[in-house]
Amino acid sequence: MTEAVVENVDILIVGAGPVGMTLHLALAAGGRKSLLLDRRPQQAQQGDPRALALSHGARQLLEQIDSWPTRAATPIETIHVSQKDGFGRTLIDRAEYDLPALGYVVRYRDLAGALAANVAADAVLSEAEIIDIAPGDQQVTVTLRHAGHTRTFQTQLLVHAEGTPGDDPTVKVSDYEQHAVICEVTPMPGHNKRAWERFTPDGPLALLPLGNEYSIVFTLPPAKADAVMALDDDAFIAALQEQFGQRMSFAKPGKRSRFPLALRLRDTLIKDREVWIGNSAQTLHPVSGQGFNLGIRDAWQLAETVLKYGVDRSSLENYAAGRRLDRQGGAFFTDKIVRTFSNDFGPLKLARGLGLLALDLCPPARHFVAKRMIWGARAWP
Ligand SMILES: Cc1cc2nc3c(=O)[nH]c(=O)nc-3n(C[C@H](O)[C@H](O)[C@H](O)COP(=O)(O)OP(=O)(O)OC[C@H]3O[C@@H](n4cnc5c(N)ncnc54)[C@H](O)[C@@H]3O)c2cc1C
């Protein structure tokens, strides 16, 4: 009987989404090889309907690996934060931070396309299905099916970047009982590069400038999301207008998609020679657009750690310790915002209004929040 051939790869990355590809390119920039594998065909990402608000910090990292999708990115110059049927509002303006923009809005597919353009064809196995993962002290053995063949790889480091985890006892799940209905609409008059975050008892409503359109993230309890998905275009615009108010009107809604929302937080980021990054490490509510911004920092910090200290146990432990504040801060921030703002409880509504007013009137408090949105953990304490 002939023995199966075992192929050696330095680093194996499961999931060629934006986070996996960022890690691959950051490692390559430092001269370290890795192999990406994805269960879907590469062009599948071109069908993803999401638009992502990326921070100024994320842009700087993507520029370092020549993957900033310049022409596809719409700058955000101001962010207006308010609550439905309540007082208080805050305006965050890029002019206060000496930056070209507070952040940028990019379609998932354009971001994935910009990254994929820099990944060599032989560095990614698409439509690969993992059959088995055998962990070990010094290496991990991964068996998979690809193009009709069973292949076995041995790697010093297995990185999980496969996105939102399914059922797994090491992942804590906290369901928000909210779904995000997303679509693009045309604002009238134009958006003037302003993003809106509007809190309603049903959940947050975000409007992100994208080209000439707004990309809408309309968060609702599941039954209301069913109803909104079923509306015709005119009724959908009326429902959107009802949540947003009359400051602006909307037309020409595009195709709608929906995503159920839950916080999924992995207990531990490392196990022997396996590490979890991006959504596979933490999947957050999309409020304030933290998910990919956190994931790209995971990828970057892991690449820096590997390039400087290698892939042994202590360097992976350093990586996990270094990510603690950023990921827990991101999860805490989004979770508290969603739970504090998604209700109609009178005293909380009053406190929220006072909070928004205080942020608006007190520049240091506003800068504190804005800088964390622009830079993430780099802005702590
Ligand atoms: C409605 C909505 C709006 C959002 N808005 C924002 C925003 O404004 N800003 C922001 O920063 N974030 C936002 N996010 C979050 C953002 O989309 C994610 O954080 C980001 O896509 C995570 O990237 P990733 O590469 O970790 O995972 P993914 O994008 O999910 O990619 C994972 C990849 O792994 C592959 N894969 C999965 N399982 C396997 C397997 N078993 N084997 C091999 N491959 C596998 C998949 O095919 C996919 O290509 C939003 C999310 C939602 C739902």
Side-chain angles (χ1 to χ4, degrees), residues 13-21 37-41 44-45 48 50-55 104-105 108 128-130 161-164 180-182 208 216-217 258-261 277-295:
I13 304 169
V14 184
V19 171
M21 286 193 282
L37 63 93
D38 203 289
R39 69 176 171 195
R40 298 188 300 171
Q45 294 180 338
D48 196 295
R50 276 172 284 185
L52 306 179
L54 304 188
S55 67
Y104 300 85
V105 185
Y108 182 104
E129 189 202 337
I130 295 185
E162 65 260 41
T164 303
V181 173
I182 64 169
L208 305 172
I216 304 287
V217 184
R258 76 195 286 179
F259 293 81
L261 304 176
I277 64 172
N279 265 35
S280 80
Q282 62 276 319
T283 299
L284 312 182
H285 192 291
V287 69
S288 79
Q290 299 287 306
F292 175 72
N293 292 304
L294 200 50

Side-chain angles (χ1 to χ4, degrees), residues 41-378:
Q42 220 170 3
Q43 59 277 22
Q45 294 180 338
Q46 293 304 306
D48 196 295
R50 276 172 284 185
L52 306 179
L54 304 188
S55 67
H56 182 71
R59 172 187 175 155
Q60 289 183 320
L61 298 183
L62 289 164
E63 279 175 342
Q64 289 185 55
I65 48 171
D66 290 331
S67 301
W68 176 245
T70 310
R71 270 180 287 163
T74 304
I76 300 175
E77 294 191 347
T78 54
I79 305 175
H80 187 287
V81 187
S82 62
Q83 58 172 337
K84 188 180 177 219
D85 304 328
F87 72 100
R89 71 93 163 113
T90 294
L91 189 66
I92 302 173
D93 191 328
R94 72 162 184 95
E96 288 186 274
Y97 303 95
D98 197 22
L99 289 173
L102 290 167
Y104 300 85
V105 185
V106 174
R107 288 190 178 88
Y108 182 104
R109 61 172 188 255
D110 290 329
L111 172 64
L115 288 158
N118 291 314
V119 176
D122 63 356
V124 54
L125 295 183
S126 296
E127 299 180 72
E129 189 202 337
I130 295 185
I131 301 168
D132 186 55
I133 296 177
D137 268 1
Q138 298 303 316
Q139 65 211 1
V140 187
T141 306
V142 177
T143 308
L144 56 85
R145 286 289 293 170
H146 179 247
H149 300 283
T150 301
R151 294 173 69 175
T152 302
F153 291 92
Q154 260 175 6
T155 183
Q156 290 181 53
L157 179 64
L158 178 65
V159 182
H160 294 271
E162 65 260 41
T164 303
D167 287 344
D168 181 333
T170 63
V171 177
K172 281 200 197 81
V173 182
S174 168
D175 197 331
Y176 289 114
E177 300 290 330
Q178 291 179 358
H179 286 198
V181 173
I182 64 169
C183 95
E184 291 178 19
V185 297
T186 306
M188 293 174 304
H191 55 58
N192 208 16
K193 298 178 185 146
R194 171 167 293 183
W196 299 80
E197 188 83 69
R198 186 153 176 80
F199 294 100
T200 83
D202 286 334
L205 168 67
L207 279 69
L208 305 172
L210 182 61
N212 293 324
E213 314 293 299
Y214 263 128
S215 166
I216 304 287
V217 184
F218 195 168
T219 320
L220 297 155
K224 285 195 180 175
D226 289 344
V228 161
M229 287 296 289
L231 295 174
D232 66 28
D233 283 357
D234 288 347
F236 175 74
I237 291 290
L240 177 63
Q241 207 80 62
E242 149 68 15
Q243 290 294 69
F244 180 76
Q246 301 303 322
R247 283 192 183 93
M248 192 188 307
S249 54
F250 307 106
K252 295 192 227 154
K255 188 171 177 288
R256 279 162 248 164
S257 311
R258 76 195 286 179
F259 293 81
L261 304 176
L263 171 64
R264 290 172 198 273
L265 208 50
R266 192 171 287 281
D267 282 349
T268 166
L269 295 182
I270 53 167
K271 196 177 102 205
D272 301 324
R273 283 178 176 265
E274 289 175 73
V275 55
W276 283 262
I277 64 172
N279 265 35
S280 80
Q282 62 276 319
T283 299
L284 312 182
H285 192 291
V287 69
S288 79
Q290 299 287 306
F292 175 72
N293 292 304
L294 200 50
I296 192 175
R297 297 196 291 267
D298 287 350
W300 207 263
Q301 208 163 322
L302 182 59
E304 282 183 344
T305 305
V306 168
L307 293 171
K308 253 195 211 158
Y309 306 110
V311 294
D312 62 18
R313 175 93 205 162
S314 73
S315 71
L316 294 181
E317 276 169 1
N318 278 341
Y319 164 77
R323 293 304 301 143
R324 194 168 299 134
L325 179 62
D326 197 13
R327 71 189 293 259
Q328 287 182 352
F332 181 81
F333 178 64
T334 52
D335 191 62
K336 285 292 161 275
I337 292 184
V338 175
R339 296 193 189 284
T340 310
F341 279 88
S342 303
N343 62 71
D344 211 6
F345 180 51
L348 264 186
K349 203 160 154 181
L350 178 66
R352 289 191 304 248
L354 292 172
L356 288 171
L357 205 59
L359 275 184
D360 204 49
L361 295 177
C362 174
R366 194 168 64 252
H367 298 340
F368 182 86
V369 173
K371 283 185 179 164
R372 266 119 216 107
M373 292 179 75
I374 297 166
W375 303 113
R378 279 192 283 161

